[in-house]
Amino acid sequence: MEERRNSQTLIYRTDPNLELEEKLRRLAFVRHPSIQNDHDSVIADYRPIAKRRMESITFDELTEEEIVEQLSKHYKGIISNLGEDPARQGLLRTPERAAKAIMFFTKGYKEKIEDVLNDAVFDEDHDEMVIVKDIEMFSLCEHHLVPFMGKVSIGYLPNKRILGLSKLARIVEIYSRRLQVQERLTKQIAVAITEAVQPTGVGVVVEATHMCMVMRGVQKLNSKTVTSTMLGVLREDPKSREEFLTLMNNR
Ligand SMILES: [Zn+2]
């Protein structure tokens, strides 16, 4: 049993950029009748990386305990590579704690948007902008494996369907609890909302502080990175976008 597992080839998750690109491309075909402009500019940014397809997932063959055990071994190695003694009292249980912590920081991999949105999509004849501001977000930068955190604000223009408000925060949670880059996180949230309720437009703004900038490199303590994704009329119609941004800045 152990041997079979150890010898198995690891199959990785699908490259999230490819998945996102595919979704954005699909969304580009479902256009609001009033939209004249071309969506290609959104899509073009992603084209070059759409080369290789990988089978999705899974580590399902390993139980959670087994994954923690594996991760603990790696962390023990990291500690000794740093020149510390993993056997000294204060560090004795650190590998296991670190393993459990990183499992928590990446728990979004285990959750599916469909499960979360189950029963939370409602038919409603409401066509005014819905805005939820300052949803707290904690994520892990995929380039350095250190945290970045901040706030996410979401607005959408419903088209006969609305989403339970708490679900917006759940979507943020699912995508932020992964290895991420802020730009992709922003787009993934916008795409998930679009897929869930097919709104007339969606806008997502993420404002975050990256520990990899604050604690190393340029050490800019107060620098914030702001990213935004606009889809549908919020992308195409300056007036709707303006309304969104005004409501967003209205504190
Ligand atoms: Zn980083």
Side-chain angles (χ1 to χ4, degrees), residues 141 143-144 146 212:
C141 145
H143 301 140
H144 303 95
V146 292
C212 53

Side-chain angles (χ1 to χ4, degrees), residues 10 22 93 107 121:
L10 279 183
E22 205 171 285
R93 291 197 55 228
K107 69 189 171 76
V121 174

Side-chain angles (χ1 to χ4, degrees), residues 141-148 180 210-213 216:
C141 145
E142 73 179 23
H143 301 140
H144 303 95
L145 299 186
V146 292
F148 67 96
Q180 268 293 9
H210 291 247
M211 287 303 123
C212 53
M213 280 180 78
R216 59 172 279 288

Side-chain angles (χ1 to χ4, degrees), residues 57-83:
I57 272 220
T58 78
F59 296 95
D60 283 354
E61 295 214 16
L62 297 182
T63 65
E64 185 133 340
E65 289 75 30
E66 287 169 325
I67 296 173
V68 167
E69 199 186 308
Q70 297 270 341
L71 284 169
S72 303
K73 279 185 204 154
H74 295 304
Y75 275 120
K76 199 171 168 186
I78 290 172
I79 290 170
S80 50
N81 283 150
L82 292 174

Side-chain angles (χ1 to χ4, degrees), residues 98-220:
K100 286 181 176 163
I102 201 152
M103 290 288 280
F104 184 84
F105 299 153
T106 56
K107 69 189 171 76
Y109 286 126
K110 286 186 293 188
E111 297 171 309
K112 280 209 192 92
I113 292 286
E114 303 85 79
D115 299 341
V116 166
L117 300 187
N118 220 0
D119 303 331
V121 174
F122 307 102
D123 293 327
E124 184 73 58
D125 218 1
H126 179 84
D127 59 0
E128 300 295 321
M129 184 111 47
V130 177
I131 291 209
V132 177
K133 281 197 276 200
D134 297 338
I135 300 167
E136 289 198 353
M137 173 279 291
F138 298 90
S139 192
L140 273 188
C141 145
E142 73 179 23
H143 301 140
H144 303 95
L145 299 186
V146 292
F148 67 96
M149 65 274 264
K151 284 172 174 173
V152 181
S153 295
I154 299 171
Y156 71 97
L157 270 165
N159 176 23
K160 306 259 194 288
R161 296 166 93 194
I162 58 165
L163 203 53
L165 288 179
S166 65
K167 301 301 174 182
L168 295 175
R170 292 286 287 124
I171 292 174
V172 170
E173 182 80 359
I174 289 178
Y175 284 115
S176 56
R177 297 291 188 183
R178 299 177 181 203
L179 305 187
Q180 268 293 9
V181 295
Q182 188 178 329
E183 295 84 344
R184 185 171 70 233
L185 171 65
T186 313
K187 285 197 177 78
Q188 282 176 324
I189 296 167
V191 167
I193 295 163
T194 306
E195 289 185 331
V197 291
Q198 287 95 46
T200 315
V202 180
V204 177
V205 178
V206 180
E207 197 179 303
T209 304
H210 291 247
M211 287 303 123
C212 53
M213 280 180 78
V214 175
M215 293 179 68
R216 59 172 279 288
V218 284
Q219 303 200 3
K220 294 281 181 229

